[in-house]
Amino acid sequence: MVNGEQKHERLERYIFNYCLIAFLLFCLRDGFTGSARYYLQMFKIDILWFVPDLMAFGCVLIFSYLQIFKERNPVGIFFIIAFCWSVYISSIFMNDTLFTLFSSIKMFIPMFVGFCFYKRSVTDVRWLQIVLILVFFTSSIGVILNPYVEYPWVGQVLETFGGAREASKLWWTDGVPRYGGFAGDSTMAGFMTLFTYLLVSPYRGIIFNIVCWPLIVTALYLTNSKTAIGLFGIYAVLYLYMNVIPRAYRVRIIRTFTQLSFLCLLVPPILMITLGGVDLGAIDPKLESLADRINNTWNGPFIWVSELFPTGMFTGCGIGCYSYPMSYTDMAKYNLPLDNFYMTTFLMMGYPFLLFVALLFAKVPVMRDPIKLSILMLWNVYSVTVQLYGPSYATLLYGYAISEIFGRISVHRPSRLSLRPTPESSPALQPVGQPA
């Protein structure tokens, strides 16, 4: 029996290390996309770019096996079935070639890498915390130096399976440049800076965090990501608030804020109902972008699906539809930039995903990891105007944030919620602002 337990523990350790490496590779690849693609292409080893994706396929198999045969978790099994069904629907509606189907699946499965951490946290490992801190600083500094340095990957043509796009230094919004740093893309650079910081922030002291804030604000300002700046402001206020309330109430309060953040999912439908057809740009030019989302990019895909594939209004139109893989298909002319994560996923997976979100909302009160809760809370706000199926690291982090619902969570908890790490609990369970 002892030997059997040792083998089981060894297997769990191998699985955790495998998933940890996949997590890290996605983080490094997407944090340094511009530079990584440039040098991999220069040395003719482009194939290494897809190593994280191949490992993600392994995580799909690992997660499916654990959920079906070990945990026997109804929520996990339900999601696996919904995913497989969406892949099948995708092959009917959109993906007429093996490449486009593979591209669609590859876009989605980083989420499964995050799911695999339903028992542990990536920051259980001390050296990974250090790597994440280095990625955070490097991403921030890369953006800050971008106005003064001409990176060699600017103008590089990136080729993927016959498709090509050009990596540009910046693009403009209202005459303001958006810098991408080492990531080569401003949205990706802003996401990497902010969310990588969120993973390590609670493990550092308050002085470390406050010193980092000007760096973060400067980097996000240069990416011209207004949503990311607002999101950081929310986190900064939450961080300071967590440091002045009793430790026993912290997780409970974060849970409450996380549940309230689900109200953001109602913002797009409410705006489409109340402001649909209204020319907001005539009221204020700054509202033109919002008006375009309300009148075109949010409701447009649903109109097309109702006309082209009516069944898809219930079953979804399949993995990859109305996201970047759709541009590789014959249906590219119907593609619209649906800049909302939950609406995009609902369109892909149909009503099963709506039920899954309801289950997720119901499970929040029994989630214990404050870092995962914080990421989910901020994700719900951030995803109102961002699709987040690129970079892959973003999709992965959503899976990581909600991963606890796939474990065996007991509703009954000790009355005193300690946030300090213990040998049997996640290192993420510690007070915000306290060093590890």
Side-chain angles (χ1 to χ4, degrees):
M1 183 179 295
V2 174
N3 190 37
E5 290 179 356
Q6 290 177 342
K7 289 182 178 179
H8 178 71
E9 291 177 359
R10 190 181 302 115
L11 178 61
E12 284 196 338
R13 186 165 61 251
Y14 288 152
I15 290 175
F16 177 74
N17 290 335
Y18 176 89
C19 297
L20 195 70
I21 293 171
F23 183 100
L24 179 60
L25 289 179
F26 273 111
C27 177
L28 294 175
R29 188 185 74 173
D30 293 334
F32 304 97
T33 295
S35 53
R37 291 300 294 267
Y38 175 78
Y39 289 111
L40 289 176
Q41 194 164 299
M42 174 187 293
F43 293 106
K44 309 297 182 184
I45 50 175
D46 309 58
I47 192 65
L48 295 181
W49 177 264
F50 300 102
V51 170
D53 299 305
L54 293 175
M55 295 192 70
F57 278 98
C59 288
V60 174
L61 297 177
I62 290 172
F63 178 77
S64 300
Y65 171 76
L66 292 176
Q67 290 294 298
I68 296 172
F69 298 105
K70 294 295 184 182
E71 301 294 341
R72 297 180 182 178
N73 188 314
V75 180
I77 295 172
F78 172 76
F79 192 90
I80 293 166
I81 294 173
F83 168 71
C84 294
W85 173 253
S86 294
V87 171
Y88 170 70
I89 294 295
S90 181
S91 67
I92 296 175
F93 172 71
M94 184 188 74
N95 291 304
D96 52 358
T97 68
L98 185 60
F99 159 68
T100 53
L101 182 61
F102 174 79
S103 178
S104 299
I105 296 172
K106 183 176 76 69
M107 175 207 73
F108 194 88
I109 60 173
M111 198 179 295
F112 284 86
V113 179
F115 289 165
C116 289
F117 292 96
Y118 63 87
K119 280 187 176 181
R120 298 182 63 179
S121 301
V122 293
T123 41
D124 277 356
V125 181
R126 183 75 176 184
W127 63 262
L128 186 61
Q129 290 186 36
I130 297 173
V131 173
L132 291 173
I133 291 173
L134 293 176
V135 171
F136 157 66
F137 278 118
T138 307
S139 298
S140 304
I141 295 171
V143 173
I144 293 173
L145 292 178
N146 206 166
Y148 313 103
V149 179
E150 189 71 20
Y151 293 130
W153 48 88
V154 174
Q156 172 194 205
V157 176
L158 306 177
E159 297 182 359
T160 305
F161 297 121
R165 67 179 180 87
E166 182 177 330
S168 57
K169 174 182 177 181
L170 54 87
W171 53 284
W172 300 78
T173 300
D174 297 328
V176 180
R178 307 185 71 165
Y179 295 97
F182 295 125
D185 176 87
S186 59
T187 302
M188 189 182 300
F191 183 90
M192 294 300 302
T193 296
L194 179 59
F195 279 86
T196 304
Y197 165 74
L198 294 181
L199 283 171
V200 297
S201 169
Y203 290 92
R204 305 295 103 189
I206 190 170
I207 295 177
F208 172 90
N209 279 273
I210 293 178
V211 168
C212 288
W213 289 358
L215 185 71
I216 298 170
V217 172
T218 303
L220 296 181
Y221 174 78
L222 289 172
T223 64
N224 197 22
S225 177
K226 299 180 181 64
T227 307
I229 293 174
L231 207 65
F232 169 72
I234 294 173
Y235 178 77
V237 172
L238 177 64
Y239 177 88
L240 294 174
Y241 178 58
M242 288 294 107
N243 276 276
V244 297
I245 63 174
R247 183 185 306 168
Y249 297 103
R250 294 178 184 178
V251 171
R252 190 182 310 167
I253 290 173
I254 294 176
R255 286 173 183 155
T256 301
F257 286 151
T258 302
Q259 282 197 298
L260 289 174
S261 71
F262 279 84
L263 292 173
C264 293
L265 277 62
L266 303 177
V267 171
I270 290 175
L271 290 179
M272 286 189 289
I273 293 172
T274 58
L275 298 176
V278 178
D279 185 7
L280 298 177
I283 301 174
D284 188 334
K286 294 182 179 179
L287 297 177
E288 289 182 357
S289 177
L290 179 61
D292 180 62
R293 285 189 171 95
I294 293 173
N295 298 316
N296 299 304
T297 59
W298 278 346
N299 65 356
F302 292 92
I303 294 174
W304 282 120
V305 170
S306 66
E307 294 179 0
L308 299 171
F309 188 53
T311 307
M313 295 301 295
F314 300 94
T315 63
C317 55
I319 296 298
C321 73
Y322 289 99
S323 51
Y324 68 83
M326 193 172 184
S327 61
Y328 302 146
T329 72
D330 294 336
M331 303 191 70
K333 61 182 178 180
Y334 300 110
N335 193 17
L336 288 171
L338 182 52
D339 295 328
N340 182 286
F341 171 79
Y342 282 100
M343 292 177 69
T344 301
T345 312
F346 171 66
L347 202 62
M348 289 192 291
M349 303 186 73
Y351 279 90
F353 180 70
L354 197 62
L355 177 58
F356 176 77
V357 173
L359 291 171
L360 172 61
F361 176 81
K363 286 283 188 177
V364 169
V366 294
M367 292 174 65
R368 296 179 294 175
D369 191 324
I371 294 182
K372 293 179 180 179
L373 284 165
S374 298
I375 292 175
L376 178 58
M377 176 191 69
L378 296 174
W379 177 282
N380 288 343
V381 179
Y382 192 52
S383 64
V384 171
T385 57
V386 186
Q387 188 177 103
L388 291 168
Y389 276 106
S392 300
Y393 182 64
T395 313
L396 185 159
L397 273 188
Y398 177 72
Y400 178 73
I402 68 174
S403 61
E404 275 193 295
I405 69 171
F406 299 113
R408 298 177 181 176
I409 303 177
S410 172
V411 176
H412 302 287
R413 297 285 173 222
S415 59
R416 189 178 72 86
L417 290 173
S418 173
L419 297 182
R420 189 169 297 280
T422 60
E424 66 275 8
S425 65
S426 165
L429 301 179
Q430 73 176 71
V432 178
Q434 295 296 323

